[in-house]
Amino acid sequence: MKLLQIDSSARAGSVTRRLTSKFADEWKKSHPAGELIRRDLSTTTLPLITDDWNATRVEPSKLNPSQRSYLSTSDALIEEVLAADIIVIGAPMYNFAISSLLKAWIDQVVRIGKTVAYGPQGAQGLLGKKKVVVITARGGAYEKGTPKEKFDFRNPICAMFSALWVSRM
């Protein structure tokens, strides 16, 4: 059994980091032989999507060395996701949305043919029954039905991402 812990806050003492650590500690108590894979996005250099991303549309055997190098981070992150049975993601709210670090990670792990496919019903996840826990925190109230609700872009992004290729616990 493997747990992948994704921390996306740029702040070392953030609420989401404390909560993902608590989740991982409790998981380890229940799964003493389990493996914990930690991915701290504040210390991971993630390439941005550029024109080079078109390499994802090239048959793997036809990639040149530059394209392989460009996709190597994405490939490594996808391998972490594939290896995990459970994923816990710390998703703080920055400027009404997820952190740029989490968005960059999502951009790297959502890949046509590897983690998603498109068919007659639209996007479809290729990862089977992964379980995900998204732990969110924010500095204010954005409750349904309040004037601030329309400013919370983080929760819809997290819900859309997790619905795409993971099952909720």
Side-chain angles (χ1 to χ4, degrees):
M1 192 71 135
K2 291 184 182 181
L3 170 67
L4 174 59
Q5 176 184 338
I6 304 291
D7 285 311
S8 69
S9 176
R11 295 179 20 236
S14 76
V15 171
T16 57
R17 283 181 181 274
R18 288 194 310 264
L19 293 172
T20 56
S21 289
K22 178 72 172 162
F23 182 96
D25 291 345
E26 294 298 318
W27 181 85
K28 280 298 277 180
K29 287 177 188 174
S30 299
H31 303 86
E35 181 182 349
L36 174 60
I37 305 162
R38 286 192 167 105
R39 172 60 65 183
D40 183 345
L41 299 181
S42 72
T43 62
T44 303
T45 302
L46 297 172
L48 300 176
I49 302 299
T50 66
D51 285 339
D52 294 328
W53 191 249
N54 288 329
T56 61
R57 298 174 188 261
V58 175
E59 182 182 320
S61 65
K62 295 183 178 175
L63 290 170
N64 65 41
S66 175
Q67 291 168 321
R68 283 187 212 293
S69 176
Y70 178 77
L71 295 178
S72 65
T73 300
S74 174
D75 291 337
L77 296 172
I78 289 171
E79 286 303 315
E80 286 180 347
V81 168
L82 292 172
D85 299 293
I86 300 173
I87 303 166
V88 61
I89 300 171
M93 179 187 275
Y94 287 0
N95 297 319
F96 310 113
I98 61 173
S99 69
S100 60
L101 300 172
L102 183 55
K103 174 63 169 94
W105 180 81
I106 291 170
D107 286 344
Q108 293 299 314
V109 299
V110 174
R111 288 235 330 249
I112 295 172
K114 289 200 175 256
T115 60
V116 297
Y118 286 92
Q121 275 74 34
Q124 179 180 7
L126 298 177
L127 299 181
K129 295 286 185 181
K130 296 283 178 188
K131 291 186 167 110
V132 66
V133 175
V134 180
I135 297 175
T136 63
R138 59 187 178 208
Y142 298 82
E143 312 283 322
K144 283 193 183 272
T146 67
K148 283 183 154 183
E149 176 188 11
K150 64 185 173 192
F151 294 109
D152 182 353
F153 300 104
R154 182 208 46 194
N155 280 344
I157 291 169
C158 289
M160 178 181 60
F161 169 71
S162 62
L164 184 60
W165 50 263
V166 293
S167 65
R168 292 187 172 204
M169 291 182 75

